[in-house]
């Protein structure tokens, strides 16, 4: 008998007191070839084999066809200073802003952003409210407490897009990045928003 389960082909054959089961999944091939005394035992073995293999299909599927990378992987939030430091990377400022010196590694990765919402304040300035997941919240709380007076710089694909002053420890995983206009707020929130 032959069955197909979305890319999974199973061929089971009972041949004179011998069971042969072959599972082909993408580039993987698993074969069971075993002598059996009766068909009842053969069915149990095949059922057990199918249960184990089908329960692991998600892992096999991910191995054979890995999901696309998260586009937010190229986004990072870095501690930044206006004066040079050893091993820190110089980035040209945005617009007329002076250059910033960024820590070698990001404090928070774009993949640790849980939500990003474009907003406006009562005076009409635009910003993006950013909420981090638990891991990002813990990392930012630790590092921001030691970096009061420094800046938190947003870098996307090796381009400095902006920086916010760290005037208090960011302990709740919620902070804002100012942007120049409404369009920039929507573009940034879309870039930071987790894929659905």
């Amino acid at each position: 008998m032959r069955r197909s389960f979305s890319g999974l082909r199973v061929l089971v054959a009972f041949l004179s007191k011998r069971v042969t089961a072959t599972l082909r999944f993408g580039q993987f091939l698993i074969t069971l070839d075993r002598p059996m005394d009766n068909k009842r035992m053969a069915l149990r073995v095949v059922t057990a084999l199918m249960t184990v293999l089908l329960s692991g299909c998600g892992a096999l599927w991910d191995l054979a066809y890995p999901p696309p990378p998260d586009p937010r992987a190229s986004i990072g939030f870095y501690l930044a200073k206006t004066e040079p430091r050893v091993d820190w990377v110089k980035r040209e400022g945005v617009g007329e802003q002076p250059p910033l010196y960024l820590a070698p590694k990001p404090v928070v990765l774009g993949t640790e952003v849980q939500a990003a919402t474009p907003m406006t304040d009562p005076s009409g300035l635009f910003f993006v409210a950013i909420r981090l997941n638990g891991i990002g919240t813990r990392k930012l709380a630790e590092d921001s407490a030691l970096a009061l007076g420094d800046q938190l710089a947003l870098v996307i694909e090796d381009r400095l897009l902006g920086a916010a002053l760290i005037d208090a420890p960011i302990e709740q995983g919620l902070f804002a990045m100012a942007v120049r206009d409404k369009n920039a707020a929507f573009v940034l929130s879309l870039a930071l928003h987790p894929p659905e």
Side-chain angles (χ1 to χ4, degrees):
M1 98 179 115
R2 234 183 192 161
R3 300 224 179 211
S4 179
F5 302 100
S6 55
L8 178 68
R9 288 184 306 193
V10 179
L11 174 64
V12 179
F14 295 99
L15 304 170
S16 65
K17 297 193 180 205
R18 188 166 194 84
V19 65
T20 303
T22 303
L23 173 70
R24 180 180 299 279
F25 185 80
Q27 64 188 22
F28 301 101
L29 178 67
I30 301 171
T31 303
L32 170 71
D33 188 14
R34 182 169 177 99
M36 295 290 160
D37 294 338
N38 60 39
K39 286 198 175 202
R40 186 173 182 182
M41 178 57 92
L43 283 173
R44 284 184 182 169
V45 169
V46 170
T47 302
L49 176 68
M50 294 302 297
T51 302
V52 168
L53 292 174
L54 289 176
S55 66
C57 278
L60 285 175
W61 180 267
D62 287 346
L63 187 59
Y65 305 100
D70 189 336
R72 299 173 307 148
S74 65
I75 299 172
F77 293 91
Y78 294 77
L79 291 180
K81 294 183 174 288
T82 53
E83 65 276 353
R85 305 248 347 230
V86 176
D87 293 334
W88 286 40
V89 180
K90 181 180 178 181
R91 300 280 180 172
E92 291 303 320
V94 179
E96 297 177 11
Q97 299 294 323
L100 289 176
Y101 296 87
L102 278 57
K105 293 186 179 182
V107 174
V108 177
L109 301 173
T111 54
E112 295 166 338
V113 173
Q114 186 174 339
T117 308
M119 303 183 97
T120 184
D121 70 2
S123 65
L125 297 175
F126 294 96
F127 64 95
V128 176
I130 300 167
R131 177 173 297 282
L132 303 175
N133 65 16
I135 295 168
T137 298
R138 280 190 299 279
K139 291 191 318 188
L140 188 58
E142 290 171 8
D143 288 352
S144 66
L146 302 173
L148 297 179
D150 291 340
Q151 296 183 44
L152 185 64
L154 170 62
V155 175
I156 298 180
E157 295 179 358
D158 291 328
R159 283 188 32 227
L160 176 64
L161 293 186
L165 180 66
I166 301 173
D167 55 359
I170 305 169
E171 297 174 340
Q172 302 301 317
L174 182 63
F175 62 97
M177 293 294 290
V179 293
R180 68 179 180 278
D181 57 27
K182 182 179 181 179
N183 186 44
F186 278 97
V187 169
L188 180 56
S189 68
L190 286 174
L192 291 171
H193 195 73
E196 305 272 331

